[in-house]
Amino acid sequence: GYTMSECYAASNVMLSWMGTVVGDPKMAAYSNRLHDVNISNIRAPEILSKGFNGSVEVLLENLAPAEAIGQIEVRDRQNNILLANISLTIPGGNEIGSRLILPVNITPIRTGFVELLVRWIPSDTSSPERVTTNNLGILNIQINAVPEITASSCSTTQVTRGGVVTCEVQVEDDFGVIRGSMFWQINATTSSANWTEVNAGGLASDTRWIASITIPANITLGYVDLHWTVFDAQNLSDEIWIENAFSISDAQATWYGPHVQNVDQSPWIGM
């Protein structure tokens, strides 16, 4: 007698891959071992700042039938510094969850333009990736720095009661400062409740912030302390304290009345 395979082989004039007796002619013999993780895209959903926790989103897809077990690693190309490492399992390409967006928390350690390397690393070396060229993704991004107050000044060093003084600060930030405030008080007082806030306005592409103070007519004489704070779009801030920014003096007494010719000094200036 002949085996079943031999019978089928003898009955076929020509052999073909379609002449399968048992099984699927299109089956993947190693479908439980082959995985192919593709890093499809990387993006930062918001501006990242140096020294502050943020995130990047990585679009991953497993293109092969077997589940992939490994880890996503994020490094700063400069000095190859590791920023994040996440272990995960991605289902096979025909399964739900084989394509996903993975948020990865990172804390940048430097400012300026940074190149981030995002790499998939299989955990089991006995079950290799079918393709390795798609295991690496690159994101070039600018990292924000904390805003910096670089200079400060006031329109005068001495103002009288009832007068107006204007003060300003100059600031630097990678993406721009969006708001600023100035607080002031007589330096003889130490209570935080005595600080008066004045909202500042931005000029010159928000690199200069200016605020004005109208000095009350009955204010205590002395020196004025200032406290400036500025914030960028990421709500990062810088502040500066200025002691004895300017002094407050009593206004000179004036009299506006009748002029007596040959009695009052000439020319008459109304005083």
Side-chain angles (χ1 to χ4, degrees):
Y2 295 95
T3 65
M4 183 176 66
S5 297
E6 292 172 331
C7 292
Y8 272 91
S11 64
N12 283 315
V13 179
M14 299 182 67
L15 295 178
S16 168
W17 65 271
M18 298 182 65
T20 302
V21 178
V22 178
D24 183 355
K26 295 182 180 180
M27 79 169 187
Y30 303 99
S31 63
N32 64 336
R33 294 175 58 82
L34 291 178
H35 45 80
D36 179 15
V37 175
N38 176 43
I39 298 180
S40 180
N41 196 14
I42 311 164
R43 77 180 189 103
E46 58 187 13
I47 294 175
L48 300 176
S49 300
K50 175 187 175 182
F52 292 86
N53 186 56
S55 67
V56 295
E57 293 179 345
V58 183
L59 176 58
L60 298 168
E61 49 189 359
N62 186 0
L63 305 178
E67 72 174 13
I69 303 175
Q71 53 194 358
I72 284 291
E73 185 180 84
V74 180
R75 290 182 179 270
D76 185 341
R77 181 183 287 276
Q78 182 172 314
N79 298 324
N80 198 33
I81 296 175
L82 180 65
L83 299 177
N85 187 288
I86 298 179
S87 298
L88 73 157
T89 299
I90 305 177
N94 294 327
E95 304 295 330
I96 296 176
S98 62
R99 182 178 171 91
L100 71 153
I101 296 176
L102 178 69
V104 181
N105 291 329
I106 64 172
T107 303
I109 61 173
R110 60 189 181 95
T111 61
F113 287 94
V114 174
E115 187 174 51
L116 300 179
L117 306 180
V118 181
R119 189 186 306 272
W120 166 259
I121 303 175
S123 296
D124 186 1
T125 56
S126 65
S127 178
E129 284 280 299
R130 185 177 65 181
V131 180
T132 59
T133 56
N134 57 4
N135 292 162
L136 175 66
I138 297 175
L139 176 64
N140 289 292
I141 189 173
Q142 184 179 4
I143 304 299
N144 180 47
V146 174
E148 181 183 2
I149 299 175
T150 59
S152 64
S153 63
C154 289
S155 59
T156 182
T157 58
Q158 184 177 15
V159 62
T160 60
R161 287 170 168 170
V164 177
V165 60
T166 300
C167 297
E168 72 170 86
V169 289
Q170 298 180 19
V171 300
E172 293 180 355
D173 187 74
D174 295 319
F175 296 93
V177 171
I178 62 171
R179 72 178 188 275
S181 295
M182 182 181 71
F183 302 82
W184 68 278
Q185 71 169 5
I186 300 296
N187 66 1
T189 58
T190 57
S191 172
S192 59
N194 292 321
W195 288 96
T196 301
E197 180 178 5
V198 181
N199 291 326
L203 296 175
S205 300
D206 296 331
T207 60
R208 295 174 57 203
W209 288 81
I210 299 177
S212 296
I213 306 171
T214 300
I215 307 300
N218 60 347
I219 195 171
T220 303
L221 301 181
Y223 285 88
V224 172
D225 295 336
L226 300 179
H227 175 210
W228 277 94
T229 58
V230 294
F231 294 84
D232 66 8
Q234 289 68 51
N235 207 36
L236 304 182
S237 65
D238 190 22
E239 62 182 354
I240 186 174
W241 302 79
I242 308 170
E243 293 186 357
N244 301 333
F246 58 87
S247 64
I248 298 176
S249 61
D250 200 3
Q252 184 177 4
T254 58
W255 166 255
Y256 298 93
H259 171 235
V260 180
Q261 190 174 4
N262 298 326
V263 174
D264 293 319
Q265 68 179 29
S266 182
W268 173 244
I269 59 174
M271 299 178 59

